[in-house]
Amino acid sequence: MIQILLSQPDSYRDVIEHLQSNGAHVTLIGPEKKTANIRKKKDILTSMLSPALLRARGAWKREDRVLVVGWQALPVLAMIKMGLLPRPKKLLLMACFIHGQRARRVVNRLWRYLRFPGLGFIAFSQGEVRNLIEEVEMPASSVHFHLWRQELDGQTAASAITDEGYIFSGGFSNRDYDLLLAAKQDIDTPLMIVASEQNQIDASASIGTTVHRDLPEAAFEVLLAKSRVVAMPLLSQGEACGQSVLLRVLRNGKPLIATRHEAIEAYLGPAYPGFVPHGDVDAMRSALIRALREPAFRASLSSDIVKAWQRLEKRNSPGEEIEQFLLS
């Protein structure tokens, strides 16, 4: 039987609901109420020490297959290591994201120490795959790549997808908003940024730039859907990032200018013409100006975005893919 340990209620619904419909059982080992989508490191560490972890006692038998979603994976593995929890037939970990190199090295050491036969990972980027194989020394057969997608809330009606002439940028993790603001200096077009309170953004000297913080998903997507072009400035570090915003770009068919990052390449392909190099202000500025002023280039970007969305729609559902990993 498949058992699921979930860190937050109502997360990864498309995966969890599919598995439940096929007989999987869910145990919540985090807070009863869903917390913010973007959590501070302190909150994550606190949740890893929560008494709710005790609900894992008796949650599975040795012949079961277990999916652990979120950072409670570390204390769960530690409890297995100490013999406080039985070692299941198979245990897969999912959604343990890191964007700092120092934290990654620490966690790699913990994964190596806590690993056991039957342990595996579901990775959302090829960088994560490489790290687990090369640094954690996991067998390649125990690391499963999943092209992340999810039925995100707040979808915009087709009639609301317009072109109001501004640049949109949004998201929290691994963002290089300083680069975007520097690129914007010589562009008269307004810039709309929707970020987290945790993002450090000083747009006081950027004329025509508006910064919103922590908007609801529907409001976020409306602003994206009304833009002329979407900019996604990413740092070179990090693994999975930018994917939730990218899914909104794809389903709205918006032209995208993005820092080249393999997590985004996995959806668009390396030949997508809207990629610019990391840290290159001039390249970001030039690409944005071209996308804003050349209708033919903007149309070609949108066409590639629509094709990427169509390819994504043809894949098996996320729940089906995760189920295959668990049963393989």
Side-chain angles (χ1 to χ4, degrees):
M1 184 175 180
I2 293 176
Q3 302 286 346
I4 303 167
L5 300 188
L6 201 58
S7 300
Q8 291 197 82
D10 203 36
S11 60
Y12 293 92
R13 294 193 307 268
D14 44 357
V15 173
I16 304 306
E17 289 174 2
H18 172 83
L19 295 175
Q20 283 183 301
S21 70
N22 288 336
H25 180 264
V26 175
T27 300
L28 182 64
I29 56 172
E32 296 286 349
K33 294 182 180 180
K34 187 174 182 179
T35 57
N37 289 332
I38 299 170
R39 295 191 295 166
K40 297 179 180 179
K41 292 178 181 178
K42 181 184 70 173
D43 296 330
I44 294 174
L45 290 171
T46 300
S47 70
M48 289 167 60
L49 301 174
S50 169
L53 280 163
L54 295 176
R55 299 174 192 152
R57 299 290 298 271
W60 69 81
K61 300 177 182 178
R62 292 188 179 275
E63 62 269 21
D64 288 339
R65 297 166 186 262
V66 179
L67 174 67
V68 185
V69 182
W71 277 110
Q72 276 88 338
L74 273 173
V76 166
L77 292 188
M79 292 167 76
I80 292 174
K81 182 82 171 181
M82 293 184 291
L84 299 176
L85 294 174
R87 180 189 299 176
K89 181 176 183 179
K90 187 169 190 174
L91 189 149
L92 294 185
L93 309 182
M94 184 175 85
C96 299
F97 306 117
I98 294 181
H99 293 293
Q101 294 303 316
R102 181 181 301 176
R104 168 52 67 200
R105 288 192 292 269
V106 172
V107 172
N108 281 345
R109 288 194 290 269
L110 291 172
W111 291 146
R112 282 197 300 269
Y113 176 71
L114 296 171
R115 65 188 175 177
F116 55 82
L119 176 65
F121 291 82
I122 298 171
F124 292 171
S125 73
Q126 291 298 336
E128 191 179 356
V129 170
R130 285 196 304 275
N131 174 75
L132 290 165
I133 294 173
E134 296 173 5
E135 303 300 329
V136 183
E137 301 174 359
M138 292 294 298
S141 60
S142 298
V143 182
H144 308 277
F145 174 69
H146 174 65
L147 193 61
W148 184 84
R149 57 238 187 251
Q150 187 170 317
E151 288 295 332
L152 298 170
D153 293 333
Q155 184 163 5
T156 304
S159 59
I161 302 175
T162 58
D163 176 0
E164 296 193 3
Y166 59 84
I167 304 166
F168 176 88
S169 189
F172 164 64
S173 64
N174 215 37
R175 294 308 197 271
D176 193 352
Y177 286 122
D178 287 343
L179 179 142
L180 180 60
L181 291 172
K184 165 70 172 65
Q185 283 184 356
D186 297 324
I187 301 176
D188 294 333
T189 304
L191 169 63
M192 188 86 66
I193 297 175
V194 183
S196 164
E197 288 290 352
Q198 298 181 55
N199 290 110
Q200 301 298 314
I201 305 173
D202 182 6
S204 57
S206 182
I207 299 173
T209 296
T210 304
V211 180
H212 297 282
R213 304 281 186 170
D214 296 322
L215 289 184
E217 291 181 79
F220 182 104
E221 189 151 339
V222 165
L223 291 175
L224 183 151
K226 291 183 176 181
S227 66
R228 173 165 292 182
V229 61
V230 176
M232 187 181 290
L234 299 173
L235 298 168
S236 59
Q237 66 179 6
E239 296 166 358
C241 64
Q243 292 152 311
S244 62
V245 175
L246 178 63
L247 289 184
R248 297 185 191 277
V249 170
L250 293 176
R251 73 185 185 185
N252 286 278
K254 285 293 171 176
L256 174 71
I257 301 298
T259 307
R260 184 177 293 279
H261 193 289
E262 61 185 359
I264 307 303
E265 283 184 331
Y267 297 80
L268 304 182
Y272 176 70
F275 285 130
V276 298
H278 290 284
D280 193 327
V281 173
D282 291 336
M284 176 63 76
R285 180 185 298 117
S286 297
L288 285 172
I289 290 173
R290 188 180 178 196
L292 290 165
R293 298 178 182 175
E294 297 182 21
F297 179 58
R298 192 162 64 248
S300 71
L301 294 176
S302 293
S303 176
D304 283 357
I305 290 294
V306 170
K307 290 174 184 176
W309 179 245
Q310 291 170 343
R311 290 194 300 270
L312 204 60
E313 290 279 87
K314 292 178 181 178
R315 295 178 68 100
N316 287 340
S317 73
E320 289 173 323
E321 285 193 10
I322 301 302
E323 185 177 39
Q324 289 172 4
F325 298 152
L326 284 162
L327 297 178
S328 64

